[in-house]
Amino acid sequence: MKILVINAGSSSLKYQLIDMETEAVLAKGTCERIGISGGKLTHKAGSKTVEIEKELPNHTEAIALVLKQLVDKETGVISSMDEIDAVGHRVVASGEAFTKTTLVTDEVMKTMDEIAELAPLHNPAAILGINACRAVMPEKQMALVFDTSFHATMPDYAHLYAVDYEDYKAYKVRRYGAHGTSHKFVSGEAARYLKRDPEELKIITCHLGNGSSISAVKGGKCIDTSMGFTPLAGVPMGTRSGDIDVAAIEFLCRKKGMSMEEGLTYLNKKCGMLGVSGVSSDFRDLTAAEKEGNYRAGLALKMFAYSCKKYVGAYMAALGGLDCIVFTAGVGENTPSVRKAVLEGLEAFGIALDEEKNLQKNDGSVHDISAKNSKVKILVIPTNEELVIARETAALTSDK
Ligand code: ADP
């Protein structure tokens, strides 16, 4: 069985074709600058990379070009489109409308349109991608895999905001979380690595990248997560502020003459590591600048680690204990100094890092960085969101 995974942005479209027997990526690539001039497709299959410069006026043209490459005699990996069994689409927000992976139907797409405003930067783009695939491959089964689904198990007292309950009911304003496919993947991999039943495990998963979120996973289910109604909440991120007193926003907007919309753009794009450091949103630049003695870069990194540490502490309490902490995503997988700073001082809670193992470069597999005496296992696990999307799509479509 072969599954095509699609992750559509407003002007880009990423794809992977995955063979479900081996879970190997047969081909993958990206279309860039869709709808703006200078369109480009980069397609990789095995050791071959092809770059095609072609105007891509819309997502339908982009997906048609992708399919052409997949079946191309030279660069292709399948002989015809019949070999694609189903398509899995990444969707950022589900609201309360969908709590699990869902097959695409006209009715489902109507609901998708209705909830698009929950993630105005992401969901409308996903809809463009889905509609484009439906236009080009009308006979294929398609599934929607939501970033929020894994968090749908949070109990009401964890996902609700303390606003008027009637407003929650009317507008569905609540915590939804994000990066769910990643939290699901790494918590599952952790249980597999530890050879333990997920049912009996308490895990904290730290997805630390340009966007970061931390989740508490009990018995294989998410019970709390740091992102909120949108991915702006939680720990400070590359360019996002993370948690902040909303009254401070109103004050800042007034002082800087910003509208609410401008205020939100400011919080999403100009704050976080970038805003505090004045150097960069990229953790590689920040650690380099800190080494050179840049105070604000060091401060941003300290704020990040401190905020992550507080979530770890809070989630240990929420879980009622802890068996394992997982680090994943760009920063979590590649920045030992951040992992060390997050865990420093938590020895009293049975969390002890092996500093030497922590410095070893990860080789793409599960890396155990816990000290021998650590009661809590500390693991670095490369995330694989596309594989989760493919697995969920395969599971839903193979029995239809
Ligand atoms: P996104 O949230 O956009 O998916 P990523 O998970 O790719 O982001 O994380 C991006 C961050 O990870 C950047 O701050 C970057 O510094 C860091 N990062 C990514 N790859 C590496 C690497 N190989 N070595 C060190 N840091 C990395």
Side-chain angles (χ1 to χ4, degrees):
M1 184 178 207
K2 294 185 183 74
I3 302 289
L4 180 62
V5 175
I6 301 284
N7 181 354
S10 55
S11 66
S12 71
L13 185 145
K14 293 189 192 136
Y15 63 93
Q16 285 195 4
L17 184 67
I18 300 179
D19 182 338
M20 296 316 291
E21 270 78 66
T22 56
E23 295 196 332
V25 177
L26 302 173
K28 65 178 181 180
T30 311
C31 294
E32 294 165 83
R33 300 184 65 88
I34 301 169
I36 38 183
S37 66
K40 183 176 158 191
L41 166 73
T42 308
H43 173 84
K44 291 184 188 161
S47 56
K48 279 182 273 180
T49 301
V50 205
E51 287 187 349
I52 298 173
E53 293 190 9
K54 182 178 188 287
E55 292 305 306
L56 299 168
N58 52 51
H59 286 68
T60 309
E61 300 259 350
I63 195 72
L65 184 62
V66 168
L67 294 175
K68 195 159 163 256
Q69 286 316 302
L70 289 172
V71 300
D72 185 86
K73 278 208 176 66
E74 298 266 302
T75 58
V77 287
I78 49 176
S79 51
S80 90
M81 273 180 34
D82 294 343
E83 286 187 47
I84 301 173
D85 294 283
V87 183
H89 292 274
R90 179 199 178 206
V91 183
V92 167
S94 65
E96 290 189 337
F98 306 104
T99 54
K100 51 186 199 297
T101 297
T102 303
L103 276 180
V104 173
T105 62
D106 290 342
E107 191 68 21
V108 162
M109 291 312 292
K110 219 172 110 219
T111 311
M112 281 287 289
D113 285 334
E114 284 161 17
I115 62 169
E117 65 175 359
L118 284 175
L121 297 178
H122 297 105
N123 270 33
I127 292 172
L128 287 175
I130 299 158
N131 286 340
C133 285
R134 293 185 90 195
V136 180
M137 301 175 273
E139 76 294 350
K140 295 274 181 244
Q141 285 205 317
M142 297 193 192
L144 306 183
V145 184
F146 299 93
D147 279 4
T148 43
S149 299
F150 184 59
H151 304 305
T153 46
M154 284 187 287
D156 50 5
Y157 56 81
H159 73 63
L160 284 175
Y161 292 129
V163 295
D164 187 327
Y165 192 79
E166 295 304 326
D167 288 334
Y168 155 64
K169 285 212 297 199
Y171 305 114
K172 305 290 181 210
V173 173
R174 48 160 284 188
R175 178 188 307 284
Y176 289 109
H179 298 140
T181 46
S182 177
H183 290 287
K184 178 175 186 165
F185 179 76
V186 297
S187 56
E189 288 297 294
R192 219 157 65 159
Y193 175 82
L194 298 172
K195 299 193 172 59
R196 299 269 304 272
D197 182 353
E199 276 296 317
E200 61 186 38
L201 282 175
K202 294 167 181 166
I203 305 177
I204 295 175
T205 47
C206 304
H207 176 111
L208 311 181
N210 189 35
S212 296
S213 64
I214 301 182
S215 292
V217 183
K218 191 175 188 175
K221 293 194 171 72
C222 176
I223 61 157
D224 207 346
T225 195
S226 61
M227 280 181 169
F229 181 66
T230 75
L232 180 56
V235 299
M237 305 171 219
T239 60
R240 292 175 225 157
S241 65
D243 294 337
I244 183 168
D245 181 344
V246 272
I249 314 308
E250 186 274 338
F251 183 79
L252 262 181
C253 283
R254 218 161 4 102
K255 288 287 181 192
K256 287 171 69 89
M258 297 186 291
S259 65
M260 183 53 107
E261 205 182 337
E262 286 165 340
L264 280 175
T265 305
Y266 165 84
L267 290 171
N268 270 302
K269 307 250 182 220
K270 300 227 164 95
C271 293
M273 301 292 102
L274 175 66
V276 175
S277 71
V279 172
S280 171
S281 62
D282 192 297
F283 279 69
R284 284 169 285 203
D285 300 340
L286 292 169
T287 43
E290 185 190 33
K291 275 202 188 103
E292 283 165 14
N294 185 305
Y295 163 74
R296 279 173 57 185
L299 175 65
L301 288 167
K302 282 194 191 86
M303 287 170 69
F304 180 75
Y306 181 63
S307 179
C308 292
K309 192 195 301 286
K310 287 205 291 184
Y311 271 102
V312 169
Y315 288 168
M316 271 196 281
L319 289 162
L322 186 62
D323 298 298
C324 178
I325 298 183
V326 183
F327 287 95
T328 193
V331 177
E333 291 168 32
N334 298 298
T335 319
S337 57
V338 168
R339 295 193 296 252
K340 183 172 176 228
V342 171
L343 300 179
E344 225 155 33
L346 298 179
E347 295 78 8
F349 301 98
I351 300 169
L353 184 71
D354 183 318
E355 298 209 12
E356 228 165 84
K357 286 187 193 157
N358 184 43
L359 289 174
Q360 287 162 3
K361 230 177 155 32
N362 74 60
D363 62 359
S365 57
V366 178
H367 184 37
D368 185 342
I369 56 171
S370 24
K372 274 208 180 79
N373 64 338
S374 185
K375 288 202 184 94
V376 174
K377 278 283 174 203
I378 310 163
L379 304 177
V380 179
I381 304 183
T383 195
N384 194 340
E385 289 160 283
E386 290 78 14
L387 184 55
V388 176
I389 295 172
R391 282 178 184 167
E392 301 240 328
T393 303
L396 195 65
T397 54
S398 57
D399 51 28
K400 290 279 170 299

